[in-house]
């Protein structure tokens, strides 16, 4: 210990160093700042009031090796429908498919969110070997309550149209693109159509009708897989998977726009001609 410190201070420093030694602290750095008031800076002697301790810090835990990035699939995983067969499975069954099988496969369907608000699934109704199939958009309130298609006001108009063709409802088959009622009677959303339409396709393939009549834009766009407006092809014969297909206006539209009934009647007369039904005689003027 240098002699330059007063004895009392030396003693204090020694005591303090011993104290630090007892604590296991042996390394000290001299203060590089300004000296204590009244003292010259000392290069080599530790200053008891400015000791900076090198505390034995715990050794840093070695960093874990960086994780290899998990390979990311190029496409999102296939979401499997919670119940029932996939579309490809349904396609395999087409040859021997029956409406009963299709209804069983549909089950108590929860494949899209429309199931949350439905009362009854509206599968379809009519002759399983019909020559003529009508396809609408989706059930309304009356259909949802009864589980039958086209039984409300629009349905009554459709029934009148069928009878005007010289047929009964039991002669034809009637169904919709989606089998549960969309809330507020809105149009079904694309994912709802995508979930439900495989069953419609199976129904058509099972029935094998000669003619399909699409009632409204949703049915026509779904079956034809087109985004074209219905007015661009309404009343024209189209070919779809070996069936003759005609798109016409939905009866609900006719209730709002009665003059369009004349267009629909012209379309239905083309259907009658195709089915070999007797056309109404033209009145002599
Ligand atoms: S609309 Fe069709 S797919 Fe959606 S829950 Fe109803 S039956 Fe299932």
């Amino acid at each position: 210990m240098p002699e330059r410190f007063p004895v009392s201070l030396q003693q204090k420093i020694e005591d303090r160093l011993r104290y630090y030694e007892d604590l296991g602290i042996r390394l000290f750095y001299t203060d590089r700042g300004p000296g204590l008031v009244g003292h010259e800076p000392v290069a080599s002697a530790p200053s008891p009031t400015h000791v900076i301790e090198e505390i034995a810090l715990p050794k840093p835990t070695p960093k874990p090796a960086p994780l290899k990035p998990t390979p990311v699939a190029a496409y999102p995983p296939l979401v499997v429908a919670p119940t029932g067969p996939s579309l490809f499975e349904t396609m395999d069954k087409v040859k021997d498919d029956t409406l009963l099988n299709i209804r069983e496969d549909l089950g108590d369907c929860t494949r899209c969110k429309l199931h949350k608000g439905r009362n009854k699934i509206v599968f379809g109704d009519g002759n399983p070997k019909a020559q003529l199939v009508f396809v609408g958009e989706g059930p309304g309130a009356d259909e949802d309550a009864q589980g039958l298609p086209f039984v409300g006001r629009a349905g009554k108009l459709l029934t009148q149209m069928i009878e005007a063709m010289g047929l009964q409802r039991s002669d034809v088959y009637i169904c919709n693109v989606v089998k549960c009622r969309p809330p507020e009677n809105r149009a079904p959303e694309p994912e709802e159509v995508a979930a439900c339409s495989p069953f419609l396709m199976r129904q058509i393939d099972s029935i094998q009708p000669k003619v399909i009549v699409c009632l409204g834009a949703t049915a026509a766009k779904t079956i034809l897989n087109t985004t074209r407006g219905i007015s661009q092809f309404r009343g024209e014969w189209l070919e779809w998977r070996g069936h003759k297909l005609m798109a016409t206006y939905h009866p609900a539209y006719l209730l709002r726009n009665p003059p369009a009934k004349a267009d629909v009647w012209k379309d239905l007369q083309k259907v009658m001609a195709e089915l070999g039904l007797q056309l109404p005689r033209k009145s002599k003027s």
Side-chain angles (χ1 to χ4, degrees):
M1 181 68 60
E3 293 293 327
R4 286 184 288 164
F5 294 103
V7 175
S8 60
L9 181 58
Q10 270 191 46
Q11 189 58 52
K12 280 186 182 174
I13 292 171
E14 283 174 17
D15 291 342
R16 181 59 61 95
L17 288 172
R18 218 168 281 119
Y19 170 70
Y20 285 129
E21 196 171 11
D22 290 340
L23 293 176
I25 300 168
R26 291 190 174 80
L27 287 175
F28 298 89
Y29 298 94
T30 56
D31 184 9
R32 292 167 200 268
L36 293 171
V37 177
H39 291 278
E40 288 297 317
V42 179
S44 57
S47 165
T49 53
H50 287 73
V51 170
I52 301 171
E53 308 161 357
E54 183 183 276
I55 299 172
L57 294 172
K59 284 187 180 175
T61 314
K63 284 185 184 173
L67 292 173
K68 286 185 182 174
T70 310
V72 178
Y75 299 99
L78 193 66
V79 178
V80 179
T83 56
S86 72
L87 176 58
F88 299 104
E89 287 167 330
T90 66
M91 289 302 153
D92 288 343
K93 288 185 176 181
V94 159
K95 279 182 198 159
D96 305 316
D97 225 356
T98 65
L99 293 176
L100 192 60
N101 287 343
I102 300 162
R103 182 64 189 88
E104 283 175 2
D105 287 343
L106 187 66
D108 191 19
C109 183
T110 56
R111 290 171 180 82
C112 81
K113 62 179 179 290
L114 291 182
H115 81 276
K116 293 177 189 167
R118 74 164 176 244
N119 283 306
K120 289 187 178 170
I121 288 180
V122 181
F123 180 70
D125 186 40
N127 183 349
K129 294 293 166 203
Q131 290 280 286
L132 174 58
V133 167
F134 287 96
V135 182
E137 181 176 294
D142 295 305
E143 291 77 14
D144 177 61
Q146 297 184 43
L148 291 168
F150 283 92
V151 290
R153 277 183 69 217
K156 287 197 176 78
L157 181 55
L158 177 63
T159 303
Q160 289 172 359
M161 287 156 50
I162 291 168
E163 290 172 352
M165 296 172 76
L167 298 169
Q168 300 296 313
R169 271 180 72 115
S170 55
D171 294 322
V172 304
Y173 193 82
I174 306 171
C175 54
N176 287 303
V177 170
V178 291
K179 306 194 183 314
C180 301
R181 182 192 181 199
E184 313 296 329
N185 290 341
R186 63 158 170 77
E189 294 172 356
E191 59 270 27
E192 295 158 359
V193 170
C196 210
S197 58
F199 295 93
L200 168 67
M201 302 304 175
R202 283 179 64 185
Q203 285 171 293
I204 293 172
D205 284 334
S206 164
I207 297 166
Q208 287 294 316
K210 191 169 181 184
V211 173
I212 301 164
V213 173
C214 294
L215 300 169
T218 299
K221 287 179 178 180
T222 300
I223 292 181
L224 297 170
N225 194 22
T226 180
T227 54
R228 289 171 60 197
I230 188 172
S231 57
Q232 294 178 32
F233 53 87
R234 196 220 93 239
E236 292 175 17
W237 278 121
L238 301 167
E239 196 76 20
W240 181 77
R241 287 165 60 164
H243 309 281
K244 291 268 225 175
L245 186 146
M246 167 105 41
T248 194
Y249 295 128
H250 194 285
Y253 173 75
L254 300 182
L255 292 174
R256 299 192 303 271
N257 189 17
K261 285 181 185 174
D263 290 331
V264 173
W265 183 233
K266 277 186 208 160
D267 299 343
L268 293 182
Q269 287 184 71
K270 291 182 190 173
V271 173
M272 291 167 69
E274 184 65 28
L275 294 173
L277 298 172
Q278 191 173 0
L279 293 167
R281 287 186 188 158
K282 287 181 182 166
S283 57
K284 291 177 185 173
S285 53

